[in-house]
PDB file of all heavy atoms in Angstrom:
ATOM      1  N   LEU B   4      36.337  22.148 -45.478  1.00 98.00           N
ATOM      2  CA  LEU B   4      36.087  23.212 -44.533  1.00 98.00           C
ATOM      3  C   LEU B   4      37.371  23.853 -43.953  1.00 98.00           C
ATOM      4  O   LEU B   4      38.286  23.070 -43.615  1.00 98.00           O
ATOM      5  CB  LEU B   4      35.174  22.661 -43.452  1.00 98.00           C
ATOM      6  CG  LEU B   4      34.645  23.631 -42.317  1.00 98.00           C
ATOM      7  CD1 LEU B   4      33.767  24.690 -42.916  1.00 98.00           C
ATOM      8  CD2 LEU B   4      33.937  22.804 -41.258  1.00 98.00           C
ATOM      9  N   THR B   5      37.423  25.095 -43.830  1.00 98.00           N
ATOM     10  CA  THR B   5      38.488  25.782 -43.146  1.00 98.00           C
ATOM     11  C   THR B   5      37.976  26.486 -41.887  1.00 98.00           C
ATOM     12  O   THR B   5      37.037  27.230 -41.979  1.00 98.00           O
ATOM     13  CB  THR B   5      39.192  26.843 -44.076  1.00 98.00           C
ATOM     14  OG1 THR B   5      39.757  26.174 -45.171  1.00 98.00           O
ATOM     15  CG2 THR B   5      40.273  27.640 -43.323  1.00 98.00           C
ATOM     16  N   TYR B   6      38.579  26.239 -40.784  1.00 98.00           N
ATOM     17  CA  TYR B   6      38.308  26.923 -39.519  1.00 98.00           C
ATOM     18  C   TYR B   6      39.335  28.066 -39.334  1.00 98.00           C
ATOM     19  O   TYR B   6      40.519  27.835 -39.390  1.00 98.00           O
ATOM     20  CB  TYR B   6      38.451  26.057 -38.319  1.00 98.00           C
ATOM     21  CG  TYR B   6      37.444  24.963 -38.143  1.00 98.00           C
ATOM     22  CD1 TYR B   6      37.816  23.597 -38.310  1.00 98.00           C
ATOM     23  CD2 TYR B   6      36.164  25.190 -37.780  1.00 98.00           C
ATOM     24  CE1 TYR B   6      36.903  22.577 -38.117  1.00 98.00           C
ATOM     25  CE2 TYR B   6      35.173  24.179 -37.632  1.00 98.00           C
ATOM     26  CZ  TYR B   6      35.602  22.879 -37.799  1.00 98.00           C
ATOM     27  OH  TYR B   6      34.693  21.854 -37.621  1.00 98.00           O
ATOM     28  N   ILE B   7      38.800  29.260 -39.065  1.00 98.00           N
ATOM     29  CA  ILE B   7      39.605  30.381 -38.626  1.00 98.00           C
ATOM     30  C   ILE B   7      38.881  31.024 -37.428  1.00 98.00           C
ATOM     31  O   ILE B   7      37.776  31.452 -37.534  1.00 98.00           O
ATOM     32  CB  ILE B   7      39.834  31.438 -39.723  1.00 98.00           C
ATOM     33  CG1 ILE B   7      40.535  30.788 -40.937  1.00 98.00           C
ATOM     34  CG2 ILE B   7      40.600  32.601 -39.208  1.00 98.00           C
ATOM     35  CD1 ILE B   7      40.737  31.751 -42.084  1.00 98.00           C
ATOM     36  N   TYR B   8      39.517  30.948 -36.283  1.00 98.00           N
ATOM     37  CA  TYR B   8      38.832  31.484 -35.064  1.00 98.00           C
ATOM     38  C   TYR B   8      39.891  32.072 -34.151  1.00 98.00           C
ATOM     39  O   TYR B   8      41.071  31.700 -34.149  1.00 98.00           O
ATOM     40  CB  TYR B   8      38.035  30.377 -34.358  1.00 98.00           C
ATOM     41  CG  TYR B   8      38.808  29.102 -34.077  1.00 98.00           C
ATOM     42  CD1 TYR B   8      39.672  29.056 -33.035  1.00 98.00           C
ATOM     43  CD2 TYR B   8      38.642  27.978 -34.881  1.00 98.00           C
ATOM     44  CE1 TYR B   8      40.358  27.888 -32.739  1.00 98.00           C
ATOM     45  CE2 TYR B   8      39.319  26.827 -34.593  1.00 98.00           C
ATOM     46  CZ  TYR B   8      40.231  26.777 -33.500  1.00 98.00           C
ATOM     47  OH  TYR B   8      40.935  25.642 -33.197  1.00 98.00           O
ATOM     48  N   PHE B   9      39.384  32.952 -33.272  1.00 98.00           N
ATOM     49  CA  PHE B   9      40.148  33.443 -32.108  1.00 98.00           C
ATOM     50  C   PHE B   9      39.539  32.761 -30.916  1.00 98.00           C
ATOM     51  O   PHE B   9      38.387  32.997 -30.515  1.00 98.00           O
ATOM     52  CB  PHE B   9      40.022  34.936 -31.996  1.00 98.00           C
ATOM     53  CG  PHE B   9      40.861  35.517 -30.829  1.00 98.00           C
ATOM     54  CD1 PHE B   9      42.065  36.150 -31.158  1.00 98.00           C
ATOM     55  CD2 PHE B   9      40.414  35.449 -29.540  1.00 98.00           C
ATOM     56  CE1 PHE B   9      42.845  36.684 -30.100  1.00 98.00           C
ATOM     57  CE2 PHE B   9      41.207  35.992 -28.518  1.00 98.00           C
ATOM     58  CZ  PHE B   9      42.416  36.614 -28.774  1.00 98.00           C
ATOM     59  N   SER B  10      40.285  31.844 -30.264  1.00 98.00           N
ATOM     60  CA  SER B  10      39.793  31.131 -29.138  1.00 98.00           C
ATOM     61  C   SER B  10      40.878  31.043 -28.034  1.00 98.00           C
ATOM     62  O   SER B  10      41.789  30.218 -28.109  1.00 98.00           O
ATOM     63  CB  SER B  10      39.336  29.690 -29.534  1.00 98.00           C
ATOM     64  OG  SER B  10      38.681  29.066 -28.524  1.00 98.00           O
ATOM     65  N   ALA B  11      40.739  31.938 -27.088  1.00 98.00           N
ATOM     66  CA  ALA B  11      41.733  32.056 -26.027  1.00 98.00           C
ATOM     67  C   ALA B  11      41.622  30.915 -24.966  1.00 98.00           C
ATOM     68  O   ALA B  11      42.652  30.435 -24.432  1.00 98.00           O
ATOM     69  CB  ALA B  11      41.689  33.395 -25.320  1.00 98.00           C
ATOM     70  N   THR B  12      40.354  30.489 -24.753  1.00 97.00           N
ATOM     71  CA  THR B  12      40.174  29.477 -23.731  1.00 97.00           C
ATOM     72  C   THR B  12      39.420  28.272 -24.185  1.00 97.00           C
ATOM     73  O   THR B  12      38.797  27.534 -23.377  1.00 97.00           O
ATOM     74  CB  THR B  12      39.323  30.153 -22.553  1.00 97.00           C
ATOM     75  OG1 THR B  12      38.113  30.598 -23.015  1.00 97.00           O
ATOM     76  CG2 THR B  12      40.077  31.306 -21.921  1.00 97.00           C
ATOM     77  N   SER B  13      39.342  28.050 -25.465  1.00 97.00           N
ATOM     78  CA  SER B  13      38.785  26.901 -26.173  1.00 97.00           C
ATOM     79  C   SER B  13      37.273  26.948 -26.403  1.00 97.00           C
ATOM     80  O   SER B  13      36.704  26.129 -27.076  1.00 97.00           O
ATOM     81  CB  SER B  13      39.193  25.571 -25.536  1.00 97.00           C
ATOM     82  OG  SER B  13      38.337  25.249 -24.435  1.00 97.00           O
ATOM     83  N   THR B  14      36.601  27.934 -25.793  1.00 98.00           N
ATOM     84  CA  THR B  14      35.156  27.954 -25.873  1.00 98.00           C
ATOM     85  C   THR B  14      34.665  28.240 -27.307  1.00 98.00           C
ATOM     86  O   THR B  14      33.781  27.575 -27.866  1.00 98.00           O
ATOM     87  CB  THR B  14      34.515  29.003 -24.945  1.00 98.00           C
ATOM     88  OG1 THR B  14      35.038  28.690 -23.623  1.00 98.00           O
ATOM     89  CG2 THR B  14      33.059  28.941 -24.946  1.00 98.00           C
ATOM     90  N   THR B  15      35.259  29.255 -27.943  1.00 98.00           N
ATOM     91  CA  THR B  15      34.845  29.653 -29.293  1.00 98.00           C
ATOM     92  C   THR B  15      35.227  28.483 -30.287  1.00 98.00           C
ATOM     93  O   THR B  15      34.409  28.168 -31.192  1.00 98.00           O
ATOM     94  CB  THR B  15      35.606  30.901 -29.748  1.00 98.00           C
ATOM     95  OG1 THR B  15      35.181  31.965 -28.883  1.00 98.00           O
ATOM     96  CG2 THR B  15      35.276  31.300 -31.165  1.00 98.00           C
ATOM     97  N   SER B  16      36.348  27.866 -30.075  1.00 98.00           N
ATOM     98  CA  SER B  16      36.669  26.733 -31.046  1.00 98.00           C
ATOM     99  C   SER B  16      35.679  25.566 -30.815  1.00 98.00           C
ATOM    100  O   SER B  16      35.346  24.902 -31.791  1.00 98.00           O
ATOM    101  CB  SER B  16      38.116  26.236 -30.741  1.00 98.00           C
ATOM    102  OG  SER B  16      38.271  25.697 -29.420  1.00 98.00           O
ATOM    103  N   LYS B  17      35.240  25.345 -29.607  1.00 98.00           N
ATOM    104  CA  LYS B  17      34.286  24.230 -29.336  1.00 98.00           C
ATOM    105  C   LYS B  17      32.964  24.517 -30.098  1.00 98.00           C
ATOM    106  O   LYS B  17      32.393  23.613 -30.717  1.00 98.00           O
ATOM    107  CB  LYS B  17      34.004  24.120 -27.825  1.00 98.00           C
ATOM    108  CG  LYS B  17      33.048  23.007 -27.492  1.00 98.00           C
ATOM    109  CD  LYS B  17      32.911  22.888 -25.963  1.00 98.00           C
ATOM    110  CE  LYS B  17      32.059  21.643 -25.542  1.00 98.00           C
ATOM    111  NZ  LYS B  17      31.932  21.554 -24.114  1.00 98.00           N
ATOM    112  N   CYS B  18      32.515  25.750 -30.067  1.00 98.00           N
ATOM    113  CA  CYS B  18      31.316  26.146 -30.847  1.00 98.00           C
ATOM    114  C   CYS B  18      31.508  25.966 -32.330  1.00 98.00           C
ATOM    115  O   CYS B  18      30.660  25.454 -33.002  1.00 98.00           O
ATOM    116  CB  CYS B  18      30.878  27.544 -30.518  1.00 98.00           C
ATOM    117  SG  CYS B  18      30.313  27.785 -28.803  1.00 98.00           S
ATOM    118  N   ALA B  19      32.631  26.491 -32.804  1.00 98.00           N
ATOM    119  CA  ALA B  19      32.900  26.431 -34.234  1.00 98.00           C
ATOM    120  C   ALA B  19      32.994  24.990 -34.749  1.00 98.00           C
ATOM    121  O   ALA B  19      32.402  24.648 -35.781  1.00 98.00           O
ATOM    122  CB  ALA B  19      34.199  27.141 -34.574  1.00 98.00           C
ATOM    123  N   LYS B  20      33.632  24.121 -33.968  1.00 98.00           N
ATOM    124  CA  LYS B  20      33.773  22.722 -34.410  1.00 98.00           C
ATOM    125  C   LYS B  20      32.474  21.940 -34.310  1.00 98.00           C
ATOM    126  O   LYS B  20      32.293  21.004 -35.071  1.00 98.00           O
ATOM    127  CB  LYS B  20      34.866  22.088 -33.559  1.00 98.00           C
ATOM    128  CG  LYS B  20      36.313  22.616 -33.880  1.00 98.00           C
ATOM    129  CD  LYS B  20      37.305  21.965 -32.975  1.00 98.00           C
ATOM    130  CE  LYS B  20      38.730  22.601 -33.281  1.00 98.00           C
ATOM    131  NZ  LYS B  20      39.753  22.033 -32.457  1.00 98.00           N
ATOM    132  N   ALA B  21      31.638  22.311 -33.370  1.00 98.00           N
ATOM    133  CA  ALA B  21      30.306  21.637 -33.317  1.00 98.00           C
ATOM    134  C   ALA B  21      29.496  21.961 -34.568  1.00 98.00           C
ATOM    135  O   ALA B  21      28.851  21.046 -35.126  1.00 98.00           O
ATOM    136  CB  ALA B  21      29.549  22.092 -32.049  1.00 98.00           C
TER     137      ALA B  21
END
Side-chain angles (χ1 to χ4, degrees):
L4 183 63
T5 296
Y6 291 110
I7 299 176
Y8 53 76
F9 183 101
S10 190
T12 61
S13 82
T14 306
T15 299
S16 65
K17 184 176 183 179
C18 292
K20 290 177 182 179

